[in-house]
Amino acid sequence: YFAGQSGVALSILETATTRKLDFATGWMLTCWFHLGLGNGDAALDAIGNIRHQLEASALWDVFTGTAHGVAGRAEEARAALDSLRTRRARGETVPPQFEGMLLLALGDFPGATECVRQSAEERYGEFPTIEADPYWAPLRSWPDYEAIRRQYFGKRMTDA
């Protein structure tokens, strides 16, 4: 997936999940890959397979909200963003990167950049994927992301 082989990775995951192997991680990864490919509706279809396992979680909000945003449904994406913010206000652990995903899907590059910066400062475990994941490619081209790249990855945009 990170090496530009999204189609191959997606094919493997779809084969495994359609054979009823019923592993939630496979459906989440299938959703994630579709987001990286810009296919919000397919991402929603994938994550819908484990709705009963995720619906009460921040993961549900981030995956469905981002998928709606990628599919151009801003109202649904904003509702998921509001839900994430409510969870955080209630004291639930919601990584800033989750909010950043939704903001990126909504085209809010300054907001997404700030969330990514916060993820880096908090040493969120998934932060390094931003440098390689296709979903984050538009943000990596955003000029304000350059400072994050230099500080945390030690390279300039021209080195990437």
Side-chain angles (χ1 to χ4, degrees), residues 4-51:
Q5 298 296 316
S6 298
V8 173
L10 192 55
S11 176
I12 291 167
L13 280 170
E14 286 179 344
T15 298
T17 52
T18 56
R19 288 186 180 166
K20 309 292 184 216
L21 296 180
D22 193 31
F23 66 111
T25 302
W27 285 116
M28 285 190 288
L29 288 172
T30 301
C31 173
W32 187 262
F33 290 174
H34 280 298
L35 291 174
L37 294 169
N39 191 339
D41 289 327
L44 282 169
D45 288 344
I47 206 69
N49 286 290
I50 53 172
R51 180 183 194 128

Side-chain angles (χ1 to χ4, degrees), residues 60-148:
W60 179 258
D61 292 338
V62 73
F63 278 125
T64 59
T66 302
H68 282 299
V70 167
R73 292 185 288 275
E75 186 175 330
E76 291 90 340
R78 282 191 189 91
L81 181 59
D82 290 345
S83 180
L84 277 179
R85 289 174 173 167
T86 298
R87 288 176 187 283
R88 184 179 298 118
R90 286 192 318 237
E92 286 183 46
T93 300
V94 178
Q97 201 159 313
F98 282 17
E99 186 173 334
M101 284 180 61
L102 276 157
L103 292 171
L104 184 59
L106 289 165
D108 181 351
F109 284 73
T113 302
E114 177 58 22
C115 289
V116 166
R117 186 193 58 72
Q118 288 174 12
S119 287
E121 288 176 358
E122 292 177 13
R123 298 179 181 260
Y124 176 58
E126 298 297 318
F127 167 71
T129 64
I130 289 171
E131 233 354 67
D133 190 323
Y135 177 75
W136 294 98
L139 188 69
R140 290 193 301 268
S141 299
W142 178 249
D144 291 349
Y145 177 76
E146 179 69 17
I148 294 170

